[in-house]
Amino acid sequence: LEVDADGERGPGMARVIVPDGPHRLQVMADGPVRLYGVYMERDTPGVVVDAAGVSGRTASSWLEWDMDLVAPYLARRTPELIVLAYGTNEANDRSLTPEKYTDRLRQVLTRVRTVTPDAACVLVGPSDRGKLVKKGVYATWPATAWVATGLAQVGPECGCATWDMLAAMGGPGSMLRWYFGATPKLAAGDLIHLSAEGYRELGNRFVAAITGTDLPPAATAPQGSGAAGSGR
């Protein structure tokens, strides 16, 4: 398939329909072209998850994006549910205050809701975070709590449900329990990220919270193992 990319910069799309089965996609360009993504789907019932995560970003990154490019792509996908998961990097920003955070978050959600007015929206707050104070002594990251509180406040104002990941993990200090008190470990050694088992456990808790179903049996039972920490 040959696609003409000449002209002014703008959102474009090329669609390729192939028989079901394994395929290899190769993209070749004979000039300056920026490829924003590829999605592959079958024409069968099911759930499609488009992951658009960018490492190290914050919610306010939405305010820096060119919405003339972003909006057509989002509209073309016609999402039924948008999940925004931010907060960990905000909690690490020493220049950010609770007031600045909630103000920026309102701006972000206004922009998101304008682009996708018919989609349901869920805000996911930050996970707990630990830090080494001195050898053998650890503490929690204090800003995480007010970031989670601000998110829970702003979400409903903009028509978004919220899920308090901090509470779902077990509250402040849970990252330390997930790392030191769980077998296998549910957290990574940096006390910021989770292990593969931890992400699966947290995913189960999220699904249980938004569907109102019971949690499947966990591999381990750290403090706060239920879904009761979820917010609305």
Side-chain angles (χ1 to χ4, degrees), residues 127-128 165 169 175 178 185-188 190-200 202:
S127 60
D128 188 41
M165 188 188 301
M169 288 183 66
M175 184 65 78
W178 282 43
K185 293 184 181 300
L186 299 180
D190 62 3
L191 302 179
I192 302 173
H193 301 89
L194 303 180
S195 66
E197 292 83 0
Y199 282 118
R200 279 193 290 269
L202 206 56

Side-chain angles (χ1 to χ4, degrees), residues 1 8 17 23 26 36-37 54 68 76 92-93 95 105 148 157 160 177 191 199 202 205 208:
L1 175 67
E8 296 294 325
I17 301 177
H23 297 276
Q26 184 176 13
Y36 288 101
V54 183
D68 288 338
R76 186 180 289 128
N92 192 42
D93 185 351
S95 68
L105 189 58
E157 295 178 8
C160 291
R177 295 192 292 270
L191 302 179
Y199 282 118
L202 206 56
R205 297 182 186 199

Side-chain angles (χ1 to χ4, degrees), residues 12-67:
M13 184 184 75
R15 186 180 186 187
V16 181
I17 301 177
V18 297
D20 198 2
H23 297 276
R24 174 179 293 178
L25 175 66
Q26 184 176 13
V27 179
M28 302 178 65
D30 59 2
V33 176
R34 178 168 293 179
L35 181 66
Y36 288 101
V38 176
Y39 57 88
M40 303 180 189
E41 299 174 353
R42 285 190 168 102
D43 188 17
T44 57
V47 176
V48 177
V49 178
D50 289 327
V54 183
S55 298
R57 299 297 91 192
T58 63
S60 58
S61 297
W62 277 79
L63 304 179
E64 303 171 4
W65 293 342
D66 186 343
M67 295 308 293

Side-chain angles (χ1 to χ4, degrees), residues 2 15 44 48 58 67 86 93 95 110 118 122 132 143 162 167 176 179 189 211 216 220:
E2 186 172 312
R15 186 180 186 187
T44 57
V48 177
T58 63
M67 295 308 293
Y86 293 104
D93 185 351
S95 68
T110 298
D118 299 324
V122 177
L132 178 65
T162 63
L176 301 177
Y179 182 74
T211 60
T220 61

